[in-house]
Amino acid sequence: MKNFLKLTDFTLAEHRRLFERAAELKQRRAEGLAEHTLGGKTLVMLMEKASTRTRLSFAAAAFQLGGSAVELAAGTSQLARGEPLSDTARVVSGYADAVVMRTSSDARLEELARYSSIPVINGLTDGGHPVQVLTDAFAEAAPLFGFDLWVGAPAAYSLPAADVDRAGGRVKTTTEPRMAVRNAEVVITDVWTSMGQEAESAARLKAFAGFTVDAALMAYARPGAIVLHCLPAHRGEEITAEVLEGPASRVWVEAENRMHVQKALLEHLILHPEE
Ligand code: CP
């Protein structure tokens, strides 16, 4: 049994196969061809935070592959009345074939995984959003993880040094937004204040001043560069409406790709995790 809690849970070869299968599934859907590889399978989505894309794209992925998806909203389940996650994990494992969880702490996601006997997928934690990263890598699948990544952020919000070290020189950080996007082929931004960080909103707005992805900043990127944003977007903060709605934006296909990539992910985890 395999989980997808973080990107590194899969080998490069597995990521390659996922992207190939996602592209195939995307093409088959465009041609109107049905795939029912997950007939009779059930996905449970345990959501402890708000979601539009993650919830819908996983549900659509399961349904379109012939399976079913059930959302277990934490607020309306027995979790809200104190039932331990470890108990919920074992019960869900008896009903379903995979579970997606969106929660705050990685420790809570890992607890779910520890007590589950079905694959657990990270639907976003404070530590990361691997299904989103997977999808964004799919947008640029040709060089497949062979790209260099510049992370531009104020010093207090930069990547931990250990993460940069682990990337073996492929990841560089800067506090200068123009340096981050210089010659980039893909520019990715995200909200400055994530769910659960609302109390820091004013401080983050101040700290990230100058990091808005606008036309002036995009001028430093390579001609033809594309822009990704996992959404929801705050127009006028991390990205201008002009860029989000402009010709460089690929945000709508990025959102759609979540479903194609997650179909491939569900097939891999449920049907052939040993490959
Ligand atoms: N990008 C993303 O995960 O969207 P939701 O928060 O709407 O699920």
Side-chain angles (χ1 to χ4, degrees):
M1 202 205 64
K2 203 179 247 305
N3 297 318
F4 187 63
L5 307 186
K6 54 190 186 308
L7 217 54
T8 50
D9 284 345
F10 288 176
T11 64
L12 195 54
E14 280 176 299
H15 285 298
R16 275 206 181 93
R17 281 199 296 277
L18 275 188
F19 289 156
E20 281 166 14
R21 180 61 179 150
E24 192 175 278
L25 287 163
K26 185 173 180 176
Q27 180 62 31
R28 287 179 71 79
R29 178 164 162 75
E31 291 169 5
L33 299 169
E35 291 269 346
H36 285 152
T37 50
L38 294 185
K41 306 291 185 190
T42 302
L43 174 69
V44 166
M45 301 179 291
L46 177 50
M47 294 296 182
E48 296 191 328
K49 285 182 165 185
S51 166
T52 295
R53 279 143 291 268
T54 301
R55 205 164 45 156
L56 293 182
S57 58
F58 267 113
F63 286 129
Q64 288 175 22
L65 290 178
S68 59
V70 181
E71 182 184 352
L72 186 65
T76 56
S77 74
Q78 299 292 1
L79 283 165
R81 299 179 59 246
E83 183 167 23
L85 185 62
S86 53
D87 293 1
T88 305
R90 285 171 283 184
V91 171
V92 169
S93 295
Y95 302 146
D97 299 281
V99 54
V100 179
M101 186 186 204
R102 170 167 287 195
T103 188
S104 298
S105 77
D106 287 279
R108 191 160 168 78
L109 178 74
E110 283 155 17
E111 184 184 355
L112 179 75
R114 198 161 52 249
Y115 286 96
S116 295
S117 54
I118 56 175
V120 175
I121 300 168
N122 182 348
L124 183 137
T125 59
D126 291 346
H129 197 359
V131 287
Q132 184 68 56
V133 178
L134 198 62
T135 303
D136 293 352
F138 174 66
E140 290 304 297
L144 201 65
F145 295 176
F147 52 78
D148 290 314
L149 177 68
W150 274 91
V151 179
Y157 300 93
S158 196
L159 281 184
D163 289 348
V164 177
D165 289 347
R166 211 171 20 245
R170 303 307 296 257
V171 176
K172 299 178 185 70
T173 62
T174 174
T175 56
E176 169 48 63
R178 284 170 296 187
M179 172 82 94
V181 305
R182 196 182 305 275
N183 290 324
E185 291 163 286
V186 183
V187 176
I188 303 182
T189 188
D190 198 359
V191 294
W192 293 340
T193 304
S194 291
M195 287 180 282
Q197 299 172 335
E198 289 77 8
E200 301 171 27
S201 183
R204 285 169 173 266
L205 265 177
K206 201 169 156 194
F208 279 89
F211 282 84
T212 303
V213 175
D214 56 14
L217 191 60
M218 284 303 293
Y220 287 87
R222 193 167 287 191
I226 64 168
V227 174
L228 300 178
H229 187 311
C230 77
L231 302 174
H234 294 89
R235 291 166 174 79
E237 288 187 19
E238 74 277 0
I239 191 165
T240 60
E242 182 190 13
V243 171
L244 189 76
E245 307 288 356
S249 173
R250 296 291 182 277
V251 300
W252 314 118
V253 75
E254 177 187 8
E256 183 198 314
N257 282 343
R258 286 285 301 274
M259 181 181 73
H260 304 302
V261 170
Q262 290 163 191
K263 279 181 179 174
L265 177 65
L266 290 172
E267 282 187 348
H268 181 56
L269 291 172
I270 296 174
L271 300 179
H272 31 78
E274 69 289 346
E275 286 179 12

